[in-house]
Amino acid sequence: MTSALLPTLDSPADLRRLSRHQLRQVADEVRQKVVDTVSQTGGHFGSNLGSVELTVALHFVFNTPYDRLVWDVGHQTYPHKILTGRRDRMHTLRQLGGVSGFPRREESEYDTFGVGHSSTSISAALGMARAAQLKGENRRAVAIIGDGAMTAGMAFEAMNNAGDPHAGALPDMLVVLNDNDMSISPPVGALNKYLARLMSGKFYTAAREGAKSVLRGAPPLFELARRFEEHAKGMVVPGTIFEEFGFNYVGPIDGHDLEALVPTLENLRDKKGPQFLHVVTKKGYGYQPAEADPVKYHAASGKFNPAEGFPKSAPGKLTFTQVFGQWLCDMAEADERLVAITPAMREGSGMVEFHKRFPKRYHDVGIAEQHAVTFAAGMACEGLKPVVAIYSTFLQRGYDQLIHDVAIQNLPVVFALDRAGLVGADGATHAGAYDIAYIRCVPNLSLIAPSDEDQCRKALTTAFRQGHAVAVRYPRGSGVGAPIDPALTELPWGRGEVRRQGQRIAVLAFGTLLHPCLAVAERLGLTVADMKFIKPLDADLAVELARSHDALVTVEEGALMGGAGSAVAEALAAAGVTVPLLHLGLPDEFIEHGDPGKLLSLCGLDAAGIEASIVRRFGPSPVLASAAAA
């Protein structure tokens, strides 16, 4: 029986001491470790299974961490973490205080660049390669980018800069395109494996450069030879566009074939200038259920039995994402002007049913948030009513377009902001902590924060029927299970509502934190208002409550600085009303990954934390005092 190799590998240096023929066994053991880990912790699954061989080959060939590996998105890095000293901590993956689901510089020297959003790897690797040039260091920078991330303009901006001969000496860097959106077709077989090794080898390079030197003296012949080379390569490989950016293109090759990967990477490691390697992998590779349904097996939401695959989801309360998906279809039936736009988040944003029912009105623009916003603006100019379904954290990437192309032109675009507030295990890169602050400061742009599922549907209807841009923010997961009115009913514009009348202190709640506030109010005898609108704020209600109470408390699941509480303070100042204020929200720090409920508790935004903050600031309420006396 063959002894296990993975327990002997505490770092990539240990991996590099193995023989090449042992790498297959290492890859198999790493893949099993990924399955065992994710089945217990949840997390991204298919992409990590697909990147195993590529990760093993990269750490075997390159002298990491001296050579820099820069991963894109980061949801394909579990094999990388297993091989870089975190194998025995993988059971803590995505848990508070445990291993992050994405690369983090503070976690390991092998995590050279922190990521969570896509399409940053080539820019970062280019920066590292240029830094190595300036410092006189003979190190290589490698960007590993997925085919989906290549849809973003930022990736091509970086490539254009890297291959620009006028920007100085060309950097020694390698871009690895991990293409998992296509099957491994015949061109990736034996012939292409041979061509990849040939084109990455020294003989081909020397012959090509020698021919260039000779032919430069005869420009017409040089141009003819250059074009012939491009078209000859283009007959068997789709690399012409990358060559035009100044990269030497190699591939595509089978990203699961270590006998092809290792020698090709070794050849490219020793070449000067920008190199581009195209590898084709299969999401979920090596685990049959994930290979058969890579969409379903993109990520595991919780534990599962590896022998059985993901369990069927039991029916439960509707999530806010499902509420949005149902509303989108219903509103599309009612108004043919509605068009829906997503930056590559069809499933995550709840748009699968809409895509099936209204395919001509569905637009997936790829991982291109800037384009998504301006594309929506263009549609709005022509009388359509665009709904951009986008995570709060990803709208940050389209902020200039939000201001310049939508708000300044006062166009009626609806932004459905999923994952507002804390998102749990995905951590700081995915938390929707800043949308309140960055939206409420922009003219011609409104923001609604519904407190339950029914109010979310009404908020979306309200937003859609306005003549200007409106964003609706709602959290990940389910709400309180509020019954949903199927009618397309609007909320009174800009008006909040007192949900409980109490004394002494009034709590102004924004969004789903209304419910723990109501629980606290029952214990302390407080007034609670469901504010609903962050912009326009119901300033009349805020002033009325300030004048009739001794103090106000604002509660929001967003950054305190510039948030909804700040809006209340500004409104009171404008009205000349002075009252003690307590603002509760997310602190001025990045929140760790972990269980969402635990994170809210650590931020003092669960019922116990809200109550403790109020009592600490204002003392026990009359209700509590009388109960204690009795």
Side-chain angles (χ1 to χ4, degrees), residues 435-452:
D435 56 80
I436 297 176
Y438 72 65
I439 285 175
R440 60 172 290 263
C441 64
V442 180
N444 297 334
L445 185 56
S446 297
L447 179 59
I448 311 175
S451 60
D452 61 34

Side-chain angles (χ1 to χ4, degrees), residues 24-25 104 110 132 143 149 182 218 232 261 279 286 321 358 365 370 439 458 473 497 506 517 531 538 555 569 620 623:
R24 179 70 265 165
Q25 180 183 339
R104 294 182 64 186
Y110 293 93
M182 54 182 278
L261 275 174
V279 303
T321 301
F358 306 96
V365 301
Q370 293 169 294
I439 285 175
K458 289 180 169 65
R473 75 183 312 258
E497 175 187 8
C517 290
M531 297 303 290
D538 190 343
V555 184
V623 172

